[in-house]
Amino acid sequence: MTPLNNTSLPHLPPEIVVPAYDRSKVTPGIAHISVGNFHRAHQAVYIDRVLARAGQQGWGLLGIGLMETPHEALKAQDMAAQDGLYSLTECAPDAPNVVRVIGSITEYMYAPADRAATIARLADPAIRIVSLTVTEGGYYVDENGVFPLDHPVIAEDLKRDVPHTVFGLLTEALRQRRESGAGPFTILSCDNLPQNGHVARAAFLGWARARDAGLAQWMEENVTFPCTMVDRITPAVHPEDVKRLDAESGLDDRIPVFCEDFIQWVIEDRFCAGRPELDAVGVQFTDNVEPYEAVKLHMLNASHSLLGLSGVLAGYRVVSEIMLDLNEVALVEQYLAFDAEPLLHAPPGMALREYGRLLLHRFRNRAISDQLLRIASDSTSKLSMFVRSTAMGVIAHRRPVERIAFVVACYAEYLRGRDDKGTLYDVIEPHLTDEDRVKAASANLEEALDMTAFAGWNLRESAVFVQRYLALRQSVRDRGTHVTLREVVSAGE
Ligand code: CS2
C-alpha cells in the first residue's frame, strides 16, 4: 500500500484524483475550527477546487483541533504524518466511486497542545476567515437567542487567562488583531442550525461583552458573521471503514473520509476581510440564506432525525436499509408533505416536492452506508434545530400532530439505549443533563416533555399533542416501534 504524503503524491496511480495545484505555493488564509469528517468532505473540497485557480493560493486552510481528547490528539499526529493530505471517496448511487486526495489543509494545529500559540497564529493578518463546524449544540445559545454566561463550561472558561473554548480563542485572537492593526476576520459558521450566522454572532459577542466591552464593541462594528447552508451526507468513519477504504484506494491512509456525490453550499456574501473565488467553483452566494437553510434543515435533517430515532429503536442501523421499509418511507413522505412543506417558502428556482424526492433518492444511496446512530446522536441539540419550528407550526395550525408526537415519543424511548429486539446501543448525547435523564426515565411519561431537547416548544400547552404523545410512547413500549409506526402512517393516509 502506498503511504500518503507530499513525497508520494506525484506518484499515485492515475485513477486517484490529486490536487491540481502546487501545494508548496499555498499559504493559509482560512482557519477552520474542528476538522471533522464533514468539513473534510465539504468545505475543504470547495477550497481544494479554488486553489487550482490562478491567484487563489493565499486561501489554503489552517485546520485547528479544539477538543482535548485522545481522538483529536491522534488526528493531529495523523495529519502531520500525511502532510495534511487525506483521501475522500465520493460514492454515487449508480456509478463507480471516485477517490480524491484533498490538499487544501496545508497546516494543522492541535490547540490544547499550545493555546497561546494557536491564538497568536489566528492573529496573523494572513488569516482572513475563521470557519467553524463545532456542532449544533456547540454554540450554547438558548431558544431565546441568549448566550448563557452561567453555563458551567462558559462560566469556567471566562475565568481563564488563556481560554479553552472557541469563543475565548477567537476573541483573544481578535483582541491581538485589534491591537496590532491586523483588522478583523470573518467568522463563518458551517453548522446545521437556523440562522447560524446570527447564532454565532450572539455567542461570540455574548462572550466578548463579558470579557471586555470595548473589544465587543469593536467586534460588533468590524467582524461579520455570514449565514450559510451546508449539505453533504458524510458518514462516520469507523476502523473497519478505514480498512475498506484503504483496500479500495490502495493507499495507506490513516484518516480517509467517504461521502455521497451530492454537495451544496450557499453563503451570504458578507466577508469583512475578503474571500476566495468560491462562486467560480460551485458555491451559491445570496443576500439571504434563510429560505435555503430552512428547507435543508426542516426537510433533510428533520427526515434524518425521524429515521434515526424511530429506526434505531426498530432495530435498523443503516439509512439505505431503512429505506426498504415502506412504513419508514411513508413516515418521511407524510412528514415532508403535511408537516414541513406547508410552513416553508421555496427559495428561487427550487420546487419543494422535487427537493423532497431528491432527498429520498439520496437516502437510498447504498454506496454510502450512513449510520442511523450517527444521525440519532446529539438529538438533544438537533431536534431544536431541525424539528422545533415545524412542531410548533403544526400545533399552532391545529393540524394532525401524529408524526410530531411520534418523533418526540421515539426520542424519549431512544434514550434508554436498547432497541425493540433488546440489542443495546451507545446513546451519544453530550448535551443531555442529569435532570433530563431523570425525566426520560420517569414513570410519569409527561415529564419527558420538559427535557432540554424540548425547551421553548410549549408542548404541554396542547392537550391534543400531549394525549397523542402519551398514547404513542406507551404503544412503543408495549407493542414496539414497528407496530406503532404502522399506526402513525395509516392515520396519515
Ligand atoms: C445529519 C446531518 O447529523 C445529522 O443529524 O442529518 O449530519 C446530515 O447528514 C448533513 O447535514 C447532510 O448535509
Side-chain angles (χ1 to χ4, degrees):
M1 292 234 248
T2 318
L4 185 54
N5 51 41
N6 279 339
T7 314
S8 67
L9 192 59
H11 312 292
L12 299 186
E15 60 276 14
I16 297 183
V17 185
V18 294
Y21 49 89
D22 179 353
R23 291 187 86 219
S24 69
K25 304 230 158 62
V26 173
T27 52
I30 305 173
H32 185 82
I33 311 288
S34 286
V35 182
N37 297 329
F38 177 70
H39 170 72
R40 294 196 292 137
H42 186 272
Q43 300 105 64
V45 172
Y46 282 107
I47 300 300
D48 194 62
R49 292 182 190 167
V50 112
L51 290 173
R53 294 179 59 79
Q56 295 294 295
Q57 283 62 44
W59 289 111
L61 281 161
L62 154 66
I64 297 181
L66 186 68
M67 307 301 279
E68 192 162 5
T69 62
H71 175 77
E72 284 296 322
L74 186 63
K75 191 193 290 175
Q77 282 174 21
D78 291 342
M79 288 296 270
Q82 297 189 180
D83 299 320
L85 295 167
Y86 61 93
S87 64
L88 172 69
T89 300
E90 293 173 337
C91 310
D94 39 22
N97 293 348
V98 175
V99 181
R100 291 176 196 285
V101 171
I102 305 297
S104 48
I105 304 177
T106 53
E107 189 179 334
Y108 193 86
M109 294 179 92
Y110 177 51
D114 191 344
R115 293 192 170 90
T118 311
I119 292 169
R121 186 70 189 85
L122 288 167
D124 178 345
I127 301 297
R128 289 181 280 165
I129 298 171
V130 179
S131 56
L132 318 169
T133 44
V134 294
T135 78
E136 290 82 358
Y139 294 80
Y140 295 90
V141 172
D142 70 16
E143 67 279 7
N144 302 312
V146 176
F147 183 67
L149 297 175
D150 57 350
H151 188 289
V153 171
I154 307 300
E156 196 181 324
D157 205 39
L158 275 168
K159 291 191 213 131
R160 295 188 175 109
D161 287 341
V162 180
H164 292 189
T165 61
V166 65
F167 315 108
L169 221 60
L170 267 55
T171 305
E172 290 309 310
L174 285 164
R175 179 199 303 285
Q176 292 184 13
R177 294 174 75 109
R178 183 186 181 211
E179 281 162 13
S180 72
F185 46 59
T186 299
I187 298 183
L188 190 68
S189 166
C190 298
D191 283 293
N192 284 313
L193 44 162
Q195 313 267 316
N196 54 10
H198 301 309
V199 175
R201 189 170 194 276
F204 283 94
L205 293 182
W207 167 280
R209 280 187 201 116
R211 272 296 256 220
D212 176 342
L215 177 61
Q217 170 88 27
W218 180 84
M219 283 168 58
E220 202 165 345
E221 286 161 8
N222 293 281
V223 175
T224 51
F225 299 85
C227 289
T228 64
M229 183 275 252
V230 291
D231 193 5
R232 181 166 241 193
I233 295 174
T234 310
V237 182
H238 298 299
E240 60 273 21
D241 297 307
V242 174
K243 279 200 197 119
R244 172 178 59 84
L245 294 166
D246 283 1
E248 273 169 35
S249 67
L251 296 172
D252 183 11
D253 182 358
R254 302 182 194 178
I255 41 172
V257 200
F258 67 114
C259 62
E260 64 176 337
D261 53 339
F262 181 92
I263 188 165
Q264 193 180 13
W265 196 4
V266 188
I267 313 180
E268 275 171 13
D269 208 352
R270 294 189 294 111
F271 288 78
C272 61
R275 65 159 172 87
E277 292 173 358
L278 289 167
D279 42 337
V281 294
V283 176
Q284 291 165 257
F285 282 90
T286 168
D287 293 341
N288 182 15
V289 165
E290 206 272 332
Y292 294 91
E293 179 189 82
V295 165
K296 194 260 169 170
L297 297 177
H298 303 316
M299 292 184 71
L300 185 151
N301 296 105
S303 301
H304 256 174
S305 291
L306 257 66
L307 292 171
L309 295 169
S310 64
V312 165
L313 276 177
Y316 295 112
R317 291 294 177 269
V318 177
V319 177
S320 55
E321 176 196 7
I322 203 176
M323 294 304 288
L324 300 172
D325 181 328
L326 297 182
N327 288 316
E328 292 281 1
V329 174
L331 174 74
V332 170
E333 284 175 339
Q334 290 178 9
Y335 180 85
L336 292 176
F338 305 143
D339 302 335
E341 285 176 27
L343 297 163
L344 292 167
H345 300 285
M350 189 193 271
L352 295 182
R353 270 298 136 80
E354 196 39 51
Y355 185 81
R357 263 197 291 273
L358 176 63
L359 287 187
L360 296 183
H361 177 70
R362 290 168 63 191
F363 293 169
R364 288 195 174 98
N365 185 346
R366 296 178 68 173
I368 52 163
S369 317
D370 193 17
Q371 307 92 354
L372 291 166
L373 281 168
R374 170 190 86 82
I375 289 167
S377 71
D378 198 18
S379 284
T380 304
S381 306
K382 290 176 181 173
L383 288 178
S384 280
M385 312 300 168
F386 306 163
V387 181
R388 177 170 68 152
S389 69
T390 305
M392 292 179 76
V394 165
I395 292 172
H397 290 95
R398 298 183 188 286
R399 290 210 304 268
V401 294
E402 205 62 19
R403 292 156 295 270
I404 306 293
F406 181 60
V407 70
V408 168
C410 285
Y411 167 71
E413 287 301 300
Y414 143 86
L415 295 174
R416 72 188 180 204
R418 194 188 61 249
D419 67 21
D420 289 354
K421 297 174 182 159
T423 309
L424 302 181
Y425 53 81
D426 286 337
V427 176
I428 303 168
E429 289 297 331
H431 296 280
L432 195 72
T433 64
D434 290 342
E435 290 93 45
D436 287 333
R437 284 178 218 281
V438 173
K439 288 172 190 157
S442 169
N444 175 0
L445 302 187
E446 225 175 299
E447 280 188 28
L449 300 179
D450 297 329
M451 286 191 286
T452 307
F454 306 121
W457 295 39
N458 307 328
L459 293 175
R460 273 178 185 264
E461 286 170 22
S462 164
V464 175
F465 173 84
V466 172
Q467 187 248 328
R468 205 55 204 130
Y469 150 76
L470 289 174
L472 291 174
R473 188 157 171 214
Q474 197 60 52
S475 169
V476 169
R477 290 185 157 199
D478 297 344
R479 303 187 298 153
T481 313
H482 277 292
V483 176
T484 311
L485 170 62
R486 210 173 307 137
E487 191 177 302
V488 167
V489 164
S490 35
E493 275 163 7

